[in-house]
Amino acid sequence: QVQLVESGGGLVQAGGSLTLSCVVSGIISSINLMAWYRQTPGQGKQREVVAALTRGGSTNYADSVKDRFTISRDNARNRVYLQMNSLKSEETAVYFCQVATTLNIFWGQGTQVTVST
């Protein structure tokens, strides 16, 4: 069974930095994409893609986090990271790790990031 476990969430002051980590286990098929999503508090909120890392190493970012966040992976591609700098209070959310293969999409359970003022 595939498992994705996020860590690194917590409380950080606005303007501060935080790094999230996601450990992937049980992956057999090749990974096409690794990504981070977030879901802000409130009813009816959808998960929003924050950053994505393609099979070939290309990165894409939401406009709101461009130049502040960095997605990366280890050489074995069983860990994906999200370095978040200059955090804003509106970025308080549960952050989710996602891994996509040719046939499946897998999600972690999320890690809470709270940005205080």
Side-chain angles (χ1 to χ4, degrees):
Q1 55 186 348
V2 175
Q3 299 279 350
L4 278 66
V5 180
E6 301 98 335
S7 63
L11 178 65
V12 63
Q13 191 174 4
S17 298
L18 201 64
T19 299
L20 306 182
S21 178
C22 175
V23 178
V24 182
S25 63
I27 297 291
I28 298 176
S29 301
S30 62
I31 297 172
N32 290 335
L33 181 143
M34 308 178 86
W36 287 94
Y37 285 69
R38 66 188 175 194
Q39 185 170 4
T40 57
Q43 298 290 330
K45 298 294 185 179
Q46 293 185 303
R47 293 181 187 182
E48 170 195 25
V49 64
V50 177
L53 179 62
T54 68
R55 179 180 55 201
S58 299
T59 58
N60 289 286
Y61 299 94
D63 289 341
S64 62
V65 309
K66 185 178 182 295
D67 300 322
R68 295 187 298 113
F69 288 15
T70 302
I71 187 171
S72 62
R73 65 190 179 202
D74 64 4
N75 291 334
R77 296 202 278 188
N78 60 354
R79 289 180 177 84
V80 60
Y81 307 91
L82 184 67
Q83 174 68 49
M84 304 183 291
N85 297 326
S86 302
L87 281 160
K88 305 173 181 179
S89 60
E90 59 264 35
E91 292 174 317
T92 291
V94 178
Y95 284 71
F96 297 89
C97 176
Q98 183 208 64
V99 171
T101 66
T102 56
L103 297 176
N104 299 102
I105 297 175
F106 304 98
W107 294 93
Q109 291 301 304
T111 184
Q112 176 70 48
V113 173
T114 302
V115 184
S116 65
T117 58

